[in-house]
Amino acid sequence: MLKVGQTAPMFVLPDSDMDPIDIAEFKGKNNVILFFYPRDDTPGCTLEATDFSDHEDEFLRHDCVVIGISRDDCLKHAEFRDKHGISVRLLSDVEGEACQQYGVWQAKEVDGVKKYGIVRSTFVIDKQGVLRIALYGVIAKGHALDVLRVVKELNS
């Protein structure tokens, strides 16, 4: 798992329109909020993505770009985005490379069976590419506002 103060791992992943997004491009320009979520179109993931979208303008006022990442493919992301009016960019990590780099691909025990999946997690990367916040195992409800509060504190 990553720790605050580390240099954030960089990667290039396609968004829901299949355009490659290199998060290194934001260095020097924007803070980046990465939220990793388990799956498109599930109740908790929908709540989290729509909450971040609802507050996107406020994040932008604080020089923050918000990006959601799951292992769903680009097509599924596009359907999810369009169905729920999600405005934040959604990246597809089908191979799990960013999930591994950020330590969010973890073993979970469900009904006595060990399975791997994404642990809902959020990272705030500053304009210099340094992790300012690393939160693992977050709760979707109210999370976007919690992150916004922390971003405001970091910027003051």
Side-chain angles (χ1 to χ4, degrees), residues 1-2 71 99-100 102-109 114-121 123 135-137:
M1 294 204 288
L2 300 177
R71 293 194 61 176
C99 291
Q100 291 287 349
Y102 279 79
V104 301
W105 188 250
Q106 297 179 15
K108 304 175 193 177
E109 199 165 309
K114 191 175 182 178
K115 292 183 176 185
Y116 279 85
I118 292 177
V119 172
R120 190 181 310 280
S121 305
F123 304 88
L135 302 169
Y136 292 90

Side-chain angles (χ1 to χ4, degrees), residues 78-151:
E79 290 169 6
F80 179 49
R81 175 196 64 199
D82 296 347
K83 179 178 178 182
H84 297 285
I86 294 165
S87 60
V88 297
R89 196 173 260 151
L90 301 176
L91 303 186
S92 179
D93 188 19
V94 174
E95 302 298 319
E97 68 181 71
C99 291
Q100 291 287 349
Q101 289 175 300
Y102 279 79
V104 301
W105 188 250
Q106 297 179 15
K108 304 175 193 177
E109 199 165 309
V110 182
D111 299 326
V113 178
K114 191 175 182 178
K115 292 183 176 185
Y116 279 85
I118 292 177
V119 172
R120 190 181 310 280
S121 305
T122 302
F123 304 88
V124 177
I125 304 165
D126 68 17
K127 292 177 184 178
Q128 288 71 47
V130 175
L131 283 172
R132 298 294 299 273
I133 297 169
L135 302 169
Y136 292 90
V138 300
I139 307 293
K141 188 174 172 68
H143 180 60
L145 280 175
D146 290 342
V147 173
L148 185 59
R149 266 192 297 281
V150 174
V151 165

